[in-house]
Amino acid sequence: MRLEGAIFSQDRYYYLRPTPGEKVPIQILNFRRVFAAWSHKLKNTLYFEKAPEELEEEGLKRVREIVLLQVYDWFAGREGLVELTEPEFEQFMEVYEAFLRQSGEIQYSRQKKGRKNENFFELQESLCIIREVRKGLFSDKL
């Protein structure tokens, strides 16, 4: 599941789908802006670096620009993908910037809004106390 290619692998991806109310701790591996399209032949979503030009010939539907978030799911113990719309990405970036400043744990959940599920991220504070490291000789501390 590498995101470097012009067209992503045709393999099936692992999509995080927590049940409503469930929060999954994740670690962010990568994110990038891509185009996604549904392939009826493959019954799978395909990801492209550039917008596909021949949609009808390829059998692609619902072409859209998304942010593809590559994460590590701590509950499942494997890498997965999360598709984010622009408003969801803005909410994610607020949480991610707070995570970079404070550390802690990013938790991913999905909330029902009308007929659709929306991705939601929140930062949980770390249970460990991080102490400041002071410069000095180790022999003095012994």
Side-chain angles (χ1 to χ4, degrees):
M1 186 174 355
R2 294 288 162 236
L3 301 177
E4 281 79 32
I7 296 177
F8 299 104
S9 172
Q10 303 292 328
D11 299 337
R12 295 260 179 212
Y13 304 110
Y14 168 64
Y15 292 99
L16 277 74
R17 300 273 191 245
T19 58
E22 180 185 18
K23 295 180 180 177
V24 178
I26 59 171
Q27 181 176 351
I28 308 305
L29 301 176
N30 193 5
F31 58 89
R32 78 178 342 152
R33 216 170 275 282
V34 295
F35 289 93
W38 174 256
S39 171
H40 186 68
K41 293 177 189 175
L42 299 173
K43 306 240 186 283
N44 200 7
T45 301
L46 302 178
Y47 300 106
F48 302 91
E49 293 289 328
K50 297 178 183 174
E53 296 174 8
E54 302 158 359
L55 301 176
E56 294 176 10
E57 293 177 20
E58 300 288 332
L60 300 176
K61 295 182 178 181
R62 293 183 23 228
V63 177
R64 62 208 179 274
E65 186 176 7
I66 61 165
V67 175
L68 190 62
L69 189 65
Q70 184 182 11
V71 300
Y72 184 81
D73 179 356
W74 287 102
F75 284 165
R78 62 183 177 172
E79 291 182 18
L81 297 176
V82 178
E83 292 183 10
L84 300 178
T85 61
E86 193 61 37
E88 293 171 343
F89 181 66
E90 290 173 8
Q91 192 267 332
F92 161 73
M93 284 307 293
E94 290 174 10
V95 172
Y96 190 61
E97 288 171 359
F99 168 75
L100 293 176
R101 285 190 307 271
Q102 303 170 2
S103 79
E105 181 179 274
I106 297 178
Q107 293 189 341
Y108 167 65
S109 63
R110 295 172 52 150
Q111 297 177 343
K112 190 88 169 163
K113 295 257 177 137
R115 291 177 26 193
K116 294 187 174 192
N117 286 321
E118 288 188 357
N119 299 311
F120 185 74
F121 300 90
E122 63 182 329
L123 182 64
Q124 182 179 16
E125 292 184 19
S126 178
L127 301 176
C128 313
I129 298 173
I130 300 173
R131 296 185 181 169
E132 184 179 321
V133 178
R134 295 184 209 145
K135 190 173 183 179
L137 295 175
F138 183 68
S139 60
D140 292 344
K141 295 180 182 189
L142 291 177

